[in-house]
Amino acid sequence: MDPVPVKSSSKSQVLAFPEAETTPLSRSTLTRTHKQLLDDLGRDRLVEMYRKMVEIRSFEQRAEQMYQQRKIGGYLHLYMGQEAVAVGLLAALRPDDYVATSYRDHGIALALGIRAELLMAELFGRATGVSGGKGGSMHFFSKEKNLLGGHGIVGGQIPIGLGAAFRAQYMETDQISLTLLGDGAMNQSVFHESMNMAALWSLPVIYVVENNQYGMGTSVERSTSVKNLAMRASAYGMEGVQIDGMNLLECYRTMHEAVKKRRESPSPMLIEVKTYRYRGHSISDPGQYRSKEEIARYRKIDPITQVRRLLEELDWLGEADAKALDKAVRDEIMEAVKFAEESPEPELAARDRDVYAP
Ligand SMILES: Cc1ncc(C[n+]2csc(CCOP(=O)(O)OP(=O)(O)O)c2C)c(N)n1
Ligand SMILES: [Mg+2]
């Protein structure tokens, strides 16, 4: 879906960015590109991606329950509904690429392959957690997986992802920096500064805006003048595209092509992924600014159900196997809870460690 130049009402030219098509996955409606993609991926890879999405959902359902039982404190921003984004995008990256995201980071960390027990322990504030129990839900970091956070400051990750791309260019590696942000974060000034610098220096950063249509209780309709967020790329002479984030294959295809192009010749890109969060902004948000009908509309095109149906239609995963997979994942998450509960709290001496004090 390349931007198409069209004539504007004035004499200057603007780029039109087509709206993403939303066609839920089904064997009968697969595009030729998706069929090719399925051939390339093969059964095992698709089942693995499905499993990862189920793991993210299951992890968060359990985390939500643990929070309600007061075993987890602090903030908890759930990713449910957005699983295809994390899994589709990260499946197209190499292990040495960089990833930075916002506080809504559970799905990204799991999709990167960080073990659920390390993440659950972090939510429980235990020393075995991925950030030593001192970061909590919003601050997952992993040096091993090149996860540069988990950031509680809206847009805080935007220049950090830019810096990682700068490093890749400076050191002459062909690494990519994937930097995810929300629709709300796009209105932070640092977004514009970073986009400008990325384009000016042709840095290998892929900015992905997870447009879940709300920034806390404020809809994109009310907060943002240009509704097609991908269009902002044109202001910086950058490639931009809008895609359906409920569709796993679309997320994977777009990222796969974007990465391939940038490994050969670095340049930045903006991808707007249209998605939806089922839960409130955080666990303490009852979400009264949107209707039950709206949520039900998205539940109908649930990203996990879409893939499950496709796997069944392709005869790649029958009902019994899918149920067994669900159960195995649920058991694994219960093990993660057990690990977290049995882990020690950080020692007092760890309090001042890893703290930056200029
Ligand atoms: C600099 C800053 N301003 C305000 C906040 C409060 N805040 C937390 S999340 C949020 C909304 C962000 O929405 P969006 O970027 O769409 O991400 P989403 O929560 O939808 O994933 C705001 C305003 C903050 N954490 N940091
Ligand atoms: Mg948002």
Side-chain angles (χ1 to χ4, degrees), residues 308-334:
R308 184 171 185 149
R309 199 183 314 122
L310 182 64
L311 283 166
E312 276 182 19
E313 285 174 356
L314 291 168
D315 265 338
W316 281 2
L317 193 74
E319 204 186 324
D321 288 339
K323 278 198 175 135
L325 182 151
D326 285 359
K327 182 173 180 322
V329 170
R330 273 201 310 276
D331 291 349
E332 216 174 272
I333 301 298
M334 276 318 286

Side-chain angles (χ1 to χ4, degrees), residues 85-94 99 107-109 111-112 178 180 255:
V85 186
V87 174
L89 298 183
L90 294 187
L93 283 186
R94 233 171 38 196
V99 181
I108 300 296
L112 265 173
L178 166 64
L180 299 116
M255 190 64 180

Side-chain angles (χ1 to χ4, degrees), residues 183 212 214-215:
D183 44 277
N212 59 14
Y214 294 91

Side-chain angles (χ1 to χ4, degrees), residues 131-284:
S131 304
K134 298 194 293 179
S137 163
M138 301 201 290
H139 303 114
F140 289 169
F141 280 78
S142 168
K143 195 172 172 194
E144 189 197 334
K145 299 283 182 188
N146 274 356
L147 174 61
L148 307 171
H151 292 265
I153 299 295
V154 169
Q157 72 279 19
I158 302 173
I160 289 173
L162 184 79
F166 180 79
R167 181 193 183 275
Q169 192 189 64
Y170 189 78
M171 303 299 282
E172 298 181 5
T173 73
D174 63 349
Q175 290 159 293
I176 303 286
S177 168
L178 166 64
T179 306
L180 299 116
L181 57 137
D183 44 277
M186 233 189 163
N187 292 328
Q188 288 282 42
S189 57
V190 73
F191 170 76
H192 302 281
E193 294 167 35
S194 302
M195 289 281 281
N196 183 53
M197 212 178 262
L200 195 63
W201 293 343
S202 300
L203 298 179
V205 57
I206 300 177
Y207 282 116
V208 172
V209 178
E210 292 191 79
N211 180 2
N212 59 14
Q213 303 172 45
Y214 294 91
M216 297 182 92
T218 307
S219 67
V220 171
E221 281 296 309
R222 291 175 59 216
S223 69
T224 304
S225 57
V226 175
K227 310 301 173 217
N228 184 317
L229 306 183
M231 208 187 265
R232 286 191 179 175
S234 66
Y236 302 95
M238 202 187 276
E239 190 182 344
V241 72
Q242 184 189 73
I243 61 164
D244 174 14
M246 308 301 271
N247 182 321
L248 177 76
L249 291 185
E250 263 308 275
C251 293
Y252 177 72
R253 179 190 68 82
T254 309
M255 190 64 180
H256 185 73
E257 285 170 12
V259 167
K260 189 164 178 272
K261 196 164 158 185
R262 275 153 193 86
R263 291 241 199 263
E264 284 156 15
S265 169
S267 68
M269 182 176 181
L270 178 67
I271 303 174
E272 178 196 355
V273 180
K274 293 204 84 167
T275 182
Y276 198 74
R277 64 164 156 75
Y278 293 153
R279 295 293 194 261
H281 166 70
S282 75
I283 196 145
S284 52

